[in-house]
Amino acid sequence: RGDSGLSEINLLKRQVSTLEGQLRALQSSFSKYKKVIMFPNGRIVGEKIFMTSGYEGNFDSLKQRCSQAGGQLASPQNAAENAAIQQIVVLYNKLVFLGINDIQTEGRFKYLNGENIVYSNWQTGEPNNDKGIEDCVEVYSSGKWNDKSCGEKRLIVCEF
Ligand code: 293
Ligand code: CA
C-alpha cells in the first residue's frame, strides 16, 4: 500500500461523514413528515400503522378497500394496538369493524389469514351471536368488542 492507500482511506472517511450528515437530515425530515401524514387520522404502534379514510361500509367492503390500498382491516394483537383503534373510534364517534370474524366456524374467531386470534377485548356478555347472525367484530368507544352482523355499516380502519 503506501500513500495511495492512505488517501483512499481519507476519501472514504469524507464520504462516510457526508453520508452521516445526509442521513441525519433525512431522519429529521422523515420524522416531521410522519407527524404530518398521521394527523389526525393515523396512529403508529410499534411497526404498525392504523389509518382511517373516513369511509363507512359493510365488512366485505371495508376488507376489500384495505386490501386494495395494500393493507388489511385492523387486526389488533395486543392492548396497545386496540387502544390506537379505540382512539380513532372516539375521534370519529363511529364504531369500526375489525379484521376478525367467525364466519367459518361459529364461536371460533379468526384473523383474515385464518389464524385463531391471540388477543381479544370482549365486552362482558359478548360474543353472544345475537339472533344467530353475528360473525363480525365491532369496537365500542370504550375499546370493548361486540360481535355484530357483517352486513352492518361501520367505519374503516386499515393497518399497514
Ligand atoms: C342483545 C343483548 C344486549 C347486547 C346486544 C349485542 C348485539 O341485544 O345486551 O348489547 O345483544 O350483543 O350485538
Ligand atoms: Ca353481539
Side-chain angles (χ1 to χ4, degrees):
R1 302 225 64 98
D3 283 357
S4 76
L6 283 173
S7 60
E8 189 144 0
I9 287 171
N10 287 331
L11 174 61
L12 284 167
K13 282 180 175 172
R14 280 205 307 279
Q15 290 173 324
V16 166
S17 138
T18 300
L19 283 169
E20 283 171 339
Q22 290 172 329
L23 180 58
R24 261 191 300 278
L26 196 57
Q27 284 170 325
S28 146
S29 172
F30 184 59
S31 159
K32 180 156 75 179
Y33 274 92
K34 261 197 302 198
K35 291 173 193 163
V36 169
I37 205 166
M38 288 302 128
F39 176 80
N41 301 323
R43 295 290 184 277
I44 299 178
V45 183
E47 307 253 282
K48 214 182 250 192
I49 297 175
F50 296 101
M51 180 75 69
T52 184
S53 66
Y55 176 79
E56 295 170 75
N58 64 29
F59 175 74
D60 281 342
S61 167
L62 302 181
K63 195 172 69 165
Q64 191 168 27
R65 287 209 173 212
C66 286
S67 165
Q68 179 69 28
Q72 64 165 7
L73 207 46
S75 308
Q77 305 248 352
N78 55 56
E81 294 188 359
N82 197 69
I85 296 163
Q86 178 190 359
Q87 287 174 14
I88 295 174
V89 171
V90 170
L91 181 67
Y92 277 75
N93 194 26
K94 285 173 182 169
L95 309 189
V96 313
F97 269 147
L98 298 178
I100 293 174
N101 65 74
D102 71 342
I103 292 170
Q104 196 188 349
T105 306
E106 176 53 36
R108 187 178 295 278
F109 283 87
K110 298 180 171 206
Y111 300 117
L112 301 176
N113 68 6
E115 290 178 12
N116 291 325
I117 55 173
V118 298
Y119 165 85
S120 65
N121 194 35
W122 298 111
Q123 171 89 293
T124 305
E126 307 295 349
N128 64 354
N129 195 29
D130 191 39
K131 302 187 175 87
I133 57 164
E134 298 191 318
D135 291 343
C136 282
V137 182
E138 64 182 2
V139 180
Y140 291 144
S141 59
S142 62
K144 290 292 175 181
W145 298 4
N146 173 45
D147 60 339
K148 195 74 180 177
S149 166
C150 300
E152 296 292 318
K153 290 188 174 170
R154 293 294 180 261
L155 177 67
I156 194 169
V157 177
C158 307
E159 64 178 37
F160 298 90

